[in-house]
Amino acid sequence: MINRDDRFRLDGRQALITGSCRGIGLELARGLAQAGAAVVLNGREAERSRAACRALREEGFAAEFAVFDVTDGAQVRTAVADLEERLGPIDILINNAGIQHRAPLEAFDPEQWHDLVRTNLDGVFHVSQAVARRMIERRRGKIINIGSVQCELARPSIAPYAATKGALRMLTRGMCADWARYGIQANGLAPGYFQTELNRALLDDEDFSAWLCQRTPAGRWGKPEELCGAAVFLASAASDFVNGQMLYVDGGLTSVV
């Protein structure tokens, strides 16, 4: 039986976080490491991945890195097999890798549409399937898919991005439907508007920033570290009976009109 004081601890667990060499992904990796997990960072660039890993190690955390492209299914399967052989079971998977392209829908480049789908949706499928097959054998595991308030809301110029995030919400529910019987909890974490490089264009837009702060009940942008508590909850034993859910961390944005 788990001591109540330990339900949020991740000691002895290993977490793979995709797209985690900077921004929200790196902050989530740091949050899980602070809760006791050994973390594996992922990116497509070896030097950036190595530097991020080094930074966490210098903070005293157990960290490794794996270079692979989430859009390449064969590459993903090889990387997951190698990680488990070298480091042991992946107990926690956070699907964070994602991209954004902005343009009016009528002018949207079809190749950029496919690029968004390959990364934001296909990538989650490839990594989750490769990891879940091994979690099924162990009959335990945590999968956290990083969504967005765009799982629920649309805005001009990002319809394709919103489409991928809406699909991710349903993929998360599908993971629950198929894998809950094996002791796997699959949930989503949906950030609102956070101060990240991905949102640089919006951060630098004074009119948009003013509108957002007025539109959000909390009255401000989110800080990446404010996602960590929710991520630790979904990764820990505290959420063992939570499955197929999307947890919005958005300062109240999706709760009001």
Side-chain angles (χ1 to χ4, degrees), residues 3-254:
N3 186 300
R4 289 186 179 183
D5 293 336
D6 295 335
R7 284 180 297 180
F8 292 90
R9 292 297 304 172
L10 301 176
D11 305 273
R13 300 298 189 189
Q14 180 167 239
L16 169 63
I17 305 97
T18 68
S20 51
C21 296
R22 60 182 176 178
I24 284 176
L26 182 57
E27 198 60 47
L28 291 174
R30 180 177 286 109
L32 266 59
Q34 289 171 338
V39 297
V40 180
L41 306 181
N42 156 256
R44 292 183 294 184
E45 300 176 21
E47 190 49 46
R48 178 173 285 174
S49 301
R50 186 177 293 109
C53 182
R54 186 186 309 118
L56 288 187
R57 287 175 177 174
E58 289 173 354
E59 294 176 37
F61 301 125
E64 301 286 343
F65 70 93
V67 179
F68 62 87
D69 184 344
V70 299
T71 70
D72 186 327
Q75 198 177 125
V76 167
R77 290 188 292 273
T78 297
V80 168
D82 176 68
L83 283 172
E84 292 228 343
E85 182 177 349
R86 289 191 299 111
L87 304 176
I90 297 170
D91 304 293
I92 302 159
L93 168 63
I94 298 185
N95 286 303
N96 174 72
I99 60 172
Q100 172 69 291
H101 294 303
R102 293 183 173 88
L105 186 56
E106 70 276 12
F108 210 89
D109 185 330
E111 186 51 41
Q112 289 191 329
W113 163 275
H114 292 300
D115 195 27
L116 280 166
V117 173
R118 280 192 295 265
T119 303
N120 296 358
L121 195 57
D122 293 355
V124 175
F125 168 78
H126 291 315
V127 183
S128 297
Q129 186 185 67
V131 172
R133 284 171 173 168
R134 296 164 184 272
M135 289 179 169
I136 286 169
E137 294 176 0
R138 295 187 287 266
R139 304 193 75 81
R140 62 179 172 84
K142 300 280 187 175
I143 298 175
I144 303 170
N145 297 322
I146 303 302
S148 165
V149 289
Q150 266 70 55
C151 289
E152 296 283 351
L153 305 174
R155 287 196 67 252
S157 82
I158 60 168
Y161 176 83
T164 65
K165 292 303 182 179
L168 180 63
R169 181 185 65 174
M170 290 309 301
L171 181 58
T172 301
R173 292 176 177 177
M175 290 178 185
C176 168
D178 278 0
W179 297 338
R181 72 195 72 180
Y182 302 114
I184 298 171
Q185 290 84 54
N187 292 288
L189 184 60
Y193 286 85
F194 279 73
Q195 297 170 344
T196 67
E197 282 304 310
L198 190 65
N199 284 327
R200 174 53 55 190
L202 299 179
L203 279 162
D204 292 341
D205 185 331
E206 293 184 4
D207 289 339
F208 178 85
S209 192
W211 171 84
L212 177 68
C213 292
Q214 184 177 27
R215 171 70 174 79
T216 303
R220 62 176 176 84
W221 287 80
K223 302 172 185 177
E225 60 268 24
E226 292 177 306
L227 289 166
C228 292
V232 169
F233 166 65
L234 292 177
S236 72
S239 62
D240 279 353
F241 204 57
V242 179
N243 220 330
Q245 303 304 307
M246 190 64 68
L247 175 56
Y248 290 88
V249 183
D250 62 1
L253 180 66
T254 55

